[in-house]
Amino acid sequence: MGYDPSADVIEVMRHPPRGPVAGTYRIFGETLRGLKTTFARVVEGPHTIQYPEEKTPVYPRFRGRHKLHRFEDTGLEKCVGCSLCAAACPADCIRVVAAENTPENRVSAGERYAAVYEINLSRCIFCGYCEVACPFDAITMGHDYELSDYTRSDLIFTKEMLLAEPIERTPLRVPGE
Amino acid sequence: MPRPEQKLIKLTIDGREIEAVEGTMLVDAAKQGDVEIPYFCYERRLGQPVGACRMCLVEIEGIPKLQTSCSTGVRDGMVVHTQTERVHEAQNAIVEFLLVNHPLDCPVCDKGGECPLQDISFGWGLGRTRVVEPKRHFQKPLALSPLIAIDRERCILCYRCVRFSQEIAEDWQLIFADRGSHTFVSTHDGHPYVAPFSGNIVELCPVGALTSQPYRFRARPWDIEGAGGVCTLCPAQCNVEFTVRDEKVVRVLIREHDGVDDGWLCDKGRFAYQAIHVDERITRPLVRDGGQLRPVSWERAFETAAEIARHQGRTAALVGGGASNEEAFLLQRLLREGLYSHDIDSRPGGALPLELARTLAAPALQASVPDLEFAHTVLVLGTEPLDEIPILDLRIRKGVRRNGVKLAIASPRPSALDPNAAVSLRYAPDGEAAFLSALEAALGHASSGSGDDVASLAELLRSGGEDVVIVYGESLAPAALESLVRIARLLGLEGRDGAGLLGVPASANGRGVREAGALPNAGPGYAELGAPRGRDAAAIAAAAAGGELSALYLLEVDPVRELPDRAAWEAALHHAGLVIAHASVLTDGLRDHATVIFPAESHAEKEGTVVHPDGRLQRLRAAIAHPGEVRAGWSVIAELARRCGHDLGVLTSSMAFRQLVAAVPFYAGITLEQIGGRGVRWPERPEAAALPAGGGSAQTPGAAAGTVQPAAAGQTNGHLRLGTYRSIWAAPEVEISPALHYTIAEQLVELSPADARRLEVGDGDEVLVGSGGTRLRGRAAVRTGVPEGTAFLATGIAQASANHLTEPLVEVRRA
Ligand code: SF4
Ligand code: SF4
Ligand code: SF4
Ligand code: SF4
Ligand code: FES
């Protein structure tokens, strides 16, 4: 049974039937146009970066592994364990358990400090929301992107690991580079 | 005062037509109509509004100035605007004012994330500040009490905490000190705010000025989950919400239920959750091995406990504490069907005659909790609500304060409610039967005219109004309860809405376990048993000590600690060959005598049902997983029964519930879904008629009527009558909760000033209390309200509990 469109159906517009000349151009002409770019690169020579001996420099605002900070003068942790970063995190990979500072054991500048601060870097999507959320600039995104490890649990970074001065493994792109 | 009639009126808020009950405040009406008005100081539960914060300003047509919607009652035809320029301007200004002195230390503030001030500043504030002046400073944080931290900088002076202390708990401790911008919240004498309901102010405070010490910095709102549950630490069975973080209960909040708790919690319910996660809790099965209790596998524990099958006919069981209906029901099945014994009890004071038990449970005589608030007269008889069912203490105060309920108190010991009572009288510790028959007699005579206490109480009951609610304690002797029933009938309480009796059981689910059949003389649903009746608690102790019973099953009760006559129970446990217990704390009796201890669940882990003293079936839901190796109580009993060769056919807790419903005729048709989060009051259902009627015995006036001799004072020979009390804090859970350590008290011996003078004992002196060959050491507390000739000793406490003493007279002297 054929389909009989009624008068109010707008007719479908088609391109004119393709002739042999047009068909041949599409097969060879367009393909060669694309290959022009490829061959032009061949002339330039290889661009391989010999990772890990050589590394791509990152931009200053690159979002790599996090760092927690201390006050330079007092050495106290900037983080007060407010959990705002955990609230902001879309991957739900930050865990903060706060505790209270005592005169004998003063860890941070405020009333509370983070007794546990963990980031599960195998879940982190490096969006940087935590950095934006932090009211004390206690957490910032570093430049390290070399984060592979042998077990998943090794990718849970603890407060001590995040506070430690990271090994500078990643070159920073200098202006103009 | 009967419930006020509710008249519906119509008003318009922001162009929406809203129906509201006349007299409701505009904020509440707006909320019902889905219009949001920001507010801080108003709180319906606190009663009269004070209009302290001015956040709730709205424009009402016909009134030139903006009005506070929290203190303006709705009227018919009112037209209200909440979105005009003027209102916005006012709201912005108020937020700015509130923040003038507010530190905004949200990141370190425990309220952050659930703070009305944050939300309202964000939603109704200007978003910027013009204040450059320094803010006021206080020392912070300070401990307002061992449970509450106060940060005065954050306080917005909303009066909520002060109103709670002065108008709800009526402890009159919190005040505003100083004036103007120097005002701060404090106790009037600067001492810590220690009161049984103090934790409520933490939840009331709309900012982070009052925070809970145990919850301090534990979690943020996005770290936690809320799980609804029921507190089974006392018979009030308040509805609660457990705050759970990482499978641990870290906080307990209210889950307001007008029919149960009216939205308040006592500090035991609020802070004793800590007992769930302490090392002292038993979380593995223990078996006595070479005289020592040792942790063992479940397999080994079941093997040892299954020996009970060899004690057929010689086993007895006690049910107490927070045991659920299902647990009690399965245990009585195991005992009756598998072990051929009816020796099961749950009532410390001994079993009641079955007829009387049925009469007291009859729907016609039941009062509900809200009835306390709207009755003409409330009589508190032989119980101290503050200690035994704390939340009713607040409810009764509310009725007296707001609705003009006339309160009468008749008890041996002075009550915390005495100052609110119209009539308050004392009878001798074991003189309740004599007192009640005197009252009955006084009610019988048209008007006695004589000015004595009993006559004035009778006068109050008779002429104060028809709606009388009598709250009575479980310690009343059967004879007293018989006259109580007759008094209730004399007053016409039977079948009357808004009037009746409300029995306060000694254990949290006392009513439920009895309806489930944990009684020596009745099966589930107060069913008649065949010829052999079981032994009640006291008889069980005697029979076990005498060797007639060889095995004891203790479901969440340590009789040495909880029941009267400690020596008798020690002997009973000592002589029993097999003592099986479900327990979470190793109390004395269990430590010394239990053969097998199964770790018991806490109220945050249990699945099951319980029954409120007013007949409301409530459901316990598991908020957290079982810690350690704890298993569900019902499954332990079912497994043990299977190993004893008597399969109960129970694989899930809801199967146990269905069996219970099938066995108790007046529960017929109730499902767990119906119970849900709010409970079902079975006396209100038509099926309640299936409760077998109590007999006619209660109709014949007792022979004792006429012997008006409440206090037999003679021949005491310088000795004092012994009365006992159980403080709200006397519970093993409280002892192992670190936050509540400050409540653990030694034995306080309450004496009247006259006796203290005679015995040359001063307040706070150490005293020795003795009777028979027993001596207890305690500290004297001289109280003016204590009747002369009586000494009151604490029971249920860990050390030197009054259940060491069995004689009615004791000798008190300076140590
Ligand atoms: S970068 Fe994004 S995903 Fe990673 S921890 Fe921060 S907020 Fe979470
Ligand atoms: S890193 Fe910043 S946002 Fe996260 S808890 Fe610490 S202070 Fe708060
Ligand atoms: S009370 Fe509220 S607004 Fe004030 S500091 Fe605490 S969280 Fe922030
Ligand atoms: S402490 Fe909290 S509840 Fe009390 S007045 Fe201040 S803000 Fe209000
Ligand atoms: S809520 Fe109305 S004045 Fe505070």
Side-chain angles (χ1 to χ4, degrees):
Chain A
M1 217 165 45
Y3 169 61
D4 179 24
S6 59
D8 56 340
V9 172
I10 299 162
E11 215 177 309
V12 178
M13 302 272 288
R14 292 177 185 283
H15 60 78
R18 221 174 256 137
V21 180
T24 315
Y25 172 76
R26 274 175 61 85
I27 292 168
F28 295 104
E30 287 293 279
T31 309
L32 283 174
R33 201 154 69 92
L35 278 173
K36 198 179 99 190
T37 315
T38 314
F39 290 131
R41 296 284 91 78
V42 170
V43 181
E44 275 177 22
H47 258 264
T48 312
I49 292 176
Q50 292 300 326
Y51 184 83
E53 285 80 22
E54 277 179 60
K55 289 170 191 171
T56 321
V58 297
Y59 287 99
R61 290 173 64 182
F62 179 84
R63 300 193 299 269
R65 201 207 90 177
H66 315 66
K67 286 192 281 192
L68 281 176
H69 297 277
R70 291 177 187 276
F71 285 107
E72 270 161 24
D73 45 351
T74 54
L76 293 175
E77 288 168 18
K78 284 188 175 174
C79 172
V80 296
C82 70
S83 251
L84 285 176
C85 47
C89 178
D92 201 7
C93 61
I94 306 183
R95 186 174 117 93
V96 184
V97 179
E100 184 163 9
N101 282 312
T102 53
E104 305 84 58
N105 176 31
R106 175 155 282 285
V107 180
S108 78
E111 268 175 65
R112 59 198 270 164
Y113 70 96
V116 176
Y117 191 100
E118 288 170 355
I119 301 187
N120 184 347
L121 286 178
S122 65
R123 279 173 74 174
C124 175
I125 57 168
F126 298 96
C127 61
Y129 282 11
C130 45
E131 181 179 10
V132 177
C134 182
F136 295 102
D137 293 337
I139 189 164
T140 58
M141 307 297 282
H143 297 140
D144 192 6
Y145 53 77
E146 296 181 318
L147 293 165
S148 48
D149 223 314
Y150 291 100
T151 60
R152 286 191 179 84
S153 53
D154 283 350
L155 283 168
I156 298 178
F157 274 53
T158 60
K159 188 172 84 168
E160 287 65 40
M161 296 159 83
L162 293 166
L163 273 171
E165 208 42 60
I167 314 161
E168 284 297 341
R169 290 186 289 207
T170 319
L172 201 62
R173 204 172 278 251
V174 292
E177 196 179 337
Chain B
M1 272 270 287
R3 286 171 176 75
E5 225 177 280
Q6 308 221 313
K7 194 169 141 225
L8 278 182
I9 52 121
K10 281 199 172 65
L11 71 159
T12 317
I13 305 183
D14 289 346
R16 286 171 191 238
E17 180 120 313
I18 288 169
E19 268 204 349
V21 177
E22 188 167 27
T24 29
M25 291 303 157
L26 201 44
V27 251
D28 284 337
K31 210 181 287 168
Q32 285 157 25
D34 261 356
V35 176
E36 197 176 1
I37 299 176
Y39 62 89
F40 290 110
C41 68
Y42 177 67
E43 167 58 57
R44 188 184 43 77
R45 288 174 290 154
L46 288 176
Q48 288 301 312
V50 292
C53 74
R54 321 306 289 176
M55 192 63 229
C56 61
L57 292 172
V58 294
E59 202 170 334
I60 301 173
E61 275 183 20
I63 305 181
K65 286 190 177 173
L66 298 182
Q67 296 297 308
T68 50
S69 59
C70 70
S71 49
T72 310
V74 295
R75 263 178 293 114
D76 203 19
M78 218 176 201
V79 182
V80 182
H81 301 284
T82 72
Q83 300 296 334
T84 61
E85 195 54 36
R86 276 176 76 204
V87 174
H88 284 306
E89 212 176 290
Q91 287 168 337
N92 285 340
I94 296 295
V95 169
E96 198 173 9
F97 273 133
L98 287 177
L99 295 183
V100 161
N101 269 320
H102 194 83
L104 282 179
D105 42 13
C106 309
V108 293
C109 175
D110 240 352
K111 198 79 173 180
E114 48 189 6
C115 174
L117 183 57
Q118 276 185 328
D119 297 347
I120 292 175
S121 299
F122 187 74
W124 285 270
L126 214 46
R128 61 188 156 73
T129 175
R130 293 179 290 174
V131 181
V132 290
E133 291 77 12
K135 305 196 170 195
R136 65 172 178 169
H137 284 292
F138 285 104
Q139 193 190 344
K140 72 180 205 173
L142 288 173
L144 183 65
S145 81
L147 297 170
I148 301 166
I150 184 166
D151 183 322
R152 294 184 169 129
E153 294 181 358
R154 293 182 195 145
C155 173
I156 58 167
L157 304 176
C158 71
Y159 276 98
R160 279 193 185 196
C161 54
V162 176
R163 278 150 76 205
F164 176 81
S165 163
Q166 308 204 340
E167 291 171 31
I168 304 294
E170 297 184 347
D171 53 42
W172 306 98
Q173 292 195 45
L174 290 185
I175 52 155
F176 271 163
D178 246 333
R179 288 293 173 268
S181 69
H182 301 287
T183 315
F184 62 93
V185 171
S186 168
T187 50
H188 62 83
D189 50 5
H191 289 316
Y193 178 43
V194 172
F197 300 101
S198 66
N200 288 303
I201 61 171
V202 171
E203 225 176 323
L204 277 175
C205 182
V207 294
L210 299 170
T211 51
S212 144
Q213 301 255 35
Y215 184 63
R216 196 164 164 77
F217 304 155
R218 285 293 182 284
R220 286 284 184 210
W222 48 85
D223 297 327
I224 55 177
E225 279 169 47
V230 174
C231 171
T232 58
L233 295 173
C234 87
Q237 294 180 8
C238 298
N239 290 193
V240 296
E241 183 184 311
F242 298 107
T243 296
V244 179
R245 181 176 194 190
D246 301 336
E247 286 299 328
K248 286 208 158 79
V249 176
V250 290
R251 175 172 70 170
V252 176
L253 298 175
I254 58 156
R255 186 162 64 84
E256 190 179 347
H257 190 329
D258 177 56
V260 178
D261 50 45
D262 205 23
W264 308 116
L265 286 182
C266 74
D267 287 357
K268 177 160 67 167
R270 193 179 287 273
F271 296 107
Y273 70 84
Q274 289 192 318
I276 300 172
H277 304 293
V278 291
D279 296 341
E280 288 93 330
R281 172 155 177 213
I282 304 172
T283 52
R284 299 188 58 186
L286 305 174
V287 163
R288 191 167 299 273
D289 189 357
Q292 280 288 316
L293 282 173
R294 291 181 207 287
V296 294
S297 66
W298 274 98
E299 187 53 37
R300 167 87 200 282
F302 276 131
E303 259 168 36
T304 317
E307 303 253 312
I308 200 172
R310 296 208 264 119
H311 298 264
Q312 273 183 359
R314 296 161 57 78
T315 303
L318 291 176
V319 182
S324 69
N325 303 341
E326 287 80 357
E327 287 162 351
F329 175 73
L330 294 179
L331 180 60
Q332 66 90 26
R333 273 194 68 196
L334 167 63
L335 209 71
R336 292 195 160 118
E337 298 166 18
L339 303 168
Y340 308 107
S341 163
H342 288 295
D343 298 338
I344 179 168
D345 201 3
S346 54
R347 223 175 162 275
L352 295 179
L354 180 54
E355 306 273 282
L356 180 59
R358 284 175 178 170
T359 310
L360 288 170
L365 271 178
Q366 303 303 300
S368 71
V369 174
D371 289 345
L372 286 173
E373 214 178 287
F374 299 105
H376 289 110
T377 314
V378 170
L379 169 62
V380 176
L381 179 64
T383 176
E384 166 60 314
L386 181 62
D387 286 333
E388 292 175 26
I389 184 159
I391 229 65
L392 290 199
D393 176 89
L394 294 187
R395 202 58 178 249
I396 294 169
R397 285 173 195 278
K398 181 179 175 189
V400 173
R401 170 176 284 271
R402 298 202 201 152
N403 300 336
V405 172
K406 285 181 286 309
L407 176 64
I409 295 177
S411 62
R413 183 171 169 251
S415 164
L417 285 167
D418 280 342
N420 302 54
V423 176
S424 163
L425 55 88
R426 304 280 95 89
Y427 55 80
D430 46 8
E432 69 263 16
F435 160 71
L436 281 173
S437 50
L439 178 62
E440 201 184 334
L443 279 171
H445 314 154
S447 130
S448 46
S450 71
D452 77 336
D453 286 345
V454 178
S456 56
L457 174 60
E459 187 54 33
L460 179 69
L461 291 177
R462 203 172 26 211
S463 56
E466 310 81 46
D467 289 348
V468 178
V469 177
I470 304 180
V471 184
Y472 64 95
E474 186 177 282
S475 57
L476 297 188
L481 289 170
E482 301 250 357
S483 21
L484 177 63
V485 171
R486 284 191 299 270
I487 288 172
R489 290 192 174 142
L490 270 177
L491 292 169
L493 307 187
E494 203 168 25
R496 202 183 154 80
D497 274 353
L501 306 180
L502 191 60
V504 181
S507 62
N509 188 27
R511 177 158 190 163
V513 299
R514 274 160 230 163
E515 290 175 359
L519 285 175
N521 54 357
Y526 298 107
E528 192 82 53
L529 290 175
R533 297 266 171 101
R535 297 179 173 91
D536 69 3
I540 290 174
E548 286 166 57
L549 290 170
S550 53
L552 286 174
Y553 200 115
L554 309 174
L555 185 58
E556 302 203 7
V557 59
D558 176 1
V560 170
R561 165 94 188 239
E562 309 279 332
L563 303 192
D565 201 349
R566 183 178 172 111
W569 280 107
E570 271 178 348
L573 293 184
H574 181 71
H575 285 105
L578 181 64
V579 178
I580 303 176
H582 288 240
S584 52
V585 186
L586 209 51
T587 41
D588 287 352
L590 304 181
R591 188 183 299 112
D592 298 342
H593 303 289
T595 323
V596 184
I597 298 183
F598 295 122
E601 298 166 280
S602 70
H603 56 300
E605 291 143 30
K606 227 174 237 189
E607 283 281 350
T609 55
V610 289
V611 184
H612 186 275
D614 80 353
R616 182 181 296 276
L617 273 136
Q618 305 206 83
R619 189 169 174 195
L620 303 174
R621 305 299 307 264
I624 52 170
H626 292 125
E629 290 177 31
V630 178
R631 289 191 190 175
W634 62 265
S635 76
V636 174
I637 299 171
E639 173 65 23
L640 185 61
R642 207 170 300 128
R643 288 177 187 239
C644 293
H646 185 80
D647 198 334
L648 299 174
V650 174
L651 299 171
T652 64
S653 75
S654 49
M655 282 169 85
F657 177 72
R658 280 199 294 275
Q659 283 192 3
L660 171 74
V661 169
V664 179
F666 47 86
Y667 289 174
I670 299 183
T671 62
L672 286 174
E673 288 67 37
Q674 278 172 14
I675 297 175
R678 306 264 92 179
V680 171
R681 264 196 89 211
W682 71 257
E684 282 171 7
R685 301 169 76 242
E687 288 81 357
L691 174 72
S697 78
Q699 260 117 39
T700 51
T707 50
V708 191
Q709 188 55 21
Q715 327 101 27
T716 54
N717 199 9
H719 288 28
L720 298 177
R721 278 185 305 261
L722 170 67
T724 58
Y725 65 93
R726 183 168 184 153
S727 136
I728 169 175
W729 307 116
E733 291 84 8
V734 172
E735 276 152 32
I736 61 170
S737 295
L740 294 174
H741 271 176
Y742 77 94
T743 63
I744 302 174
E746 52 195 329
Q747 176 61 267
L748 276 189
V749 181
E750 296 185 353
L751 297 171
S752 69
D755 289 326
R757 223 172 299 121
R758 185 169 57 80
L759 299 165
E760 293 171 3
V761 174
D763 192 39
D765 283 357
E766 242 184 81
V767 289
L768 281 176
V769 184
S771 77
T774 330
R775 290 273 170 284
L776 285 186
R777 193 169 276 274
R779 196 165 289 282
V782 182
R783 304 260 149 92
T784 36
V786 174
E788 197 181 336
T790 310
F792 288 97
L793 271 77
T795 175
I797 55 176
Q799 302 290 324
S801 164
N803 70 351
H804 282 97
L805 305 173
T806 49
E807 308 283 321
L809 293 180
V810 290
E811 188 193 350
V812 179
R813 62 182 167 80
R814 268 253 293 277

